[in-house]
Amino acid sequence: MRPRTKKHLEERIARCNHIHITDPCSMKGHWRIDGRPLHLEIGCGKGAFICGMAAKHPETDFVAVEIVRNVIVMAMEKAVAAELTNVRFISCDARKLEEIFEPGELSGIFLNFSDPWPKTRQHKRRLTYPSFLKIYENIMGGAGKGEIHQKTDNRDLFDASLEYYRESGWSLRNVTFDLHGDSIETDSAVTEYEQRFMDMGQPIYRAEAFK
Ligand code: SAH
């Protein structure tokens, strides 16, 4: 990246500093506000979903994690433009989540159009891989607490994920292989990727996992 572009990016990020948590580990155990529920999206991309959810659910707090800085900046700018007060952002890798959240601090996790990592040797990087499910279980406070809601356009990732949930002891509900065709009622917001695949007439797969 050229220096001028990088400087521009840092300036844009700085303008969002009230919702950008730059030292998330120092927040461990202190994320919840007045006992309000706290939901996390992992890999928020440009932020249509998390901003849509925050606007729809003012009674809930949201946190979004995204590893790519020039993508998360767009999500933060959306939240600032919409004057949302119930969403915060962390630029980091989902592998670090246990350093950031105390067990039980989160009540829900959203995985939307996560990278499919198709090659066998890459499967462990999938955000639904059993090692990640263990992390999610911990930060949501163990069995019986919290839910994972997943949407994807990728059938291989979806089929594998259903298997990962089952083999890790999670139960499934509201599983659909055509979210919009089935007209399933959810309180969900549409993501950028979802809109793109819907416009192309492709089915969206969705599942809710709980323990
Ligand atoms: N959820 C958005 C973007 C989907 S693309 C949508 O549905 O439109 C997947 C996103 O996840 C990318 O922006 C990618 O940078 C991010 N991502 C992938 N692996 C990640 C990880 N380990 N930690 C945090 N973000 C990750």
Side-chain angles (χ1 to χ4, degrees), residues 41-46 65-68 71 92-95 112-115 127 132 191-194:
E41 185 188 14
I42 305 174
C44 70
K46 297 178 189 168
V65 171
E66 168 56 56
I67 200 167
V68 179
V71 172
C92 82
D93 191 319
R95 271 181 277 203
N112 293 318
F113 300 83
S114 308
D115 298 331
L127 291 178
F132 277 106
T191 87
E192 270 98 2
Y193 272 57
E194 185 173 3

Side-chain angles (χ1 to χ4, degrees), residues 3 27 35 42 53 56 58 102 111-112 125 149 159 190 210:
M27 289 286 291
I42 305 174
M53 291 297 277
K56 272 184 187 206
E102 198 129 278
L111 301 173
N112 293 318
R125 299 191 209 167
H149 292 190
D159 287 345
V190 174
F210 61 101

Side-chain angles (χ1 to χ4, degrees), residues 45 61 70 88 95 106-108 122 135 189 198:
D61 289 313
N70 52 18
R88 287 166 283 178
R95 271 181 277 203
L106 290 162
S107 31
Q122 301 171 326
I135 294 175
M198 279 161 64

